[in-house]
Amino acid sequence: MILIWGFKARAKTVSTGEFFCSRCGADRSYVLQQIRRWFTLFFIPLFPAGKALGEQVKCSTCGARFQSEVLNTPTSASFSESLRGAMRVASMSMLEAGDETNDAARLAAVDAARTTGDENYDETWLFNDLAAVDASQLGEYLTPLAQGLNPQGKETFIEQVARVGLADGPLSSSEMHVLETLSAALGISAAHLRGIVVSTPTGPRSPSTGDGPPDEYRRN
Ligand SMILES: [Zn+2]
């Protein structure tokens, strides 16, 4: 009799979870699969041959397959959360670096928080944030933004924080220092930062409406 044997790649589910599928453009559930070669006899897989060939992430909705690194990208939900957190911590740092009792500066900080989707943010929240926010947490919030925000989104972010600093007059050196720290974390050069500061309007802006971060913060 003729033996028909060969090898076949098979995927085994290792874990499941939620990720940001770039094909769907939304948060989806995924299965993380391990790919192995199996020895087959008469087309029936008998046993795994050799080490695993690698892993792949499969979107449960559209079926697209990605390398497992895709799981390092934050989901939309956690990205929005990071954006809101980062804006609050950044504008508190800016207020503390300048005159935190200045009404125009406080108004600009409330406005900055609202642009990232915290629609109910008001003076009371601001008061609590000023007492509670730890500026040393800023880096933690900015890391996902550095990956997820597109260049326009990064500029908008810096511009919002610059407005808070500019509301009580020209930027002091400690206010400038806050912007430099933000820019460095987001990969914006010193020259680019100067350009953003020069073009930042100082008047009040129209409040944003709608759920979640507005389009000006479009992610990559
Ligand atoms: Zn998908």
Side-chain angles (χ1 to χ4, degrees), residues 19 21-26 28 59-64 66:
F19 83 127
C21 172
S22 55
R23 197 208 254 181
C24 294
R28 299 291 190 220
C59 173
S60 305
T61 303
C62 72
F66 304 92

Side-chain angles (χ1 to χ4, degrees), residues 182-193:
L182 289 177
S183 302
L186 295 179
I188 286 186
S189 71
H192 190 173
L193 171 61

Side-chain angles (χ1 to χ4, degrees), residues 9-92:
R10 295 184 90 197
K12 183 180 110 183
T13 297
V14 182
S15 65
T16 59
E18 190 162 294
F19 83 127
F20 180 79
C21 172
S22 55
R23 197 208 254 181
C24 294
D27 292 349
R28 299 291 190 220
S29 57
Y30 70 81
V31 286
L32 175 65
Q33 300 174 318
Q34 192 181 60
I35 313 295
R36 277 196 112 117
R37 280 212 309 168
W38 281 63
F39 177 78
T40 60
L41 193 59
F42 294 108
F43 310 106
I44 298 163
L46 290 185
F47 53 83
K51 282 189 277 191
L53 298 175
E55 288 182 333
Q56 69 182 15
V57 171
K58 191 176 155 193
C59 173
S60 305
T61 303
C62 72
R65 293 174 170 80
F66 304 92
Q67 297 201 317
S68 55
E69 285 74 27
V70 77
L71 298 183
N72 299 333
T73 307
T75 60
S76 281
S78 74
F79 178 78
S80 302
E81 188 122 324
S82 299
L83 180 61
R84 289 196 292 270
M87 184 55 89
R88 281 166 68 176
V89 181
S91 43
M92 289 318 114

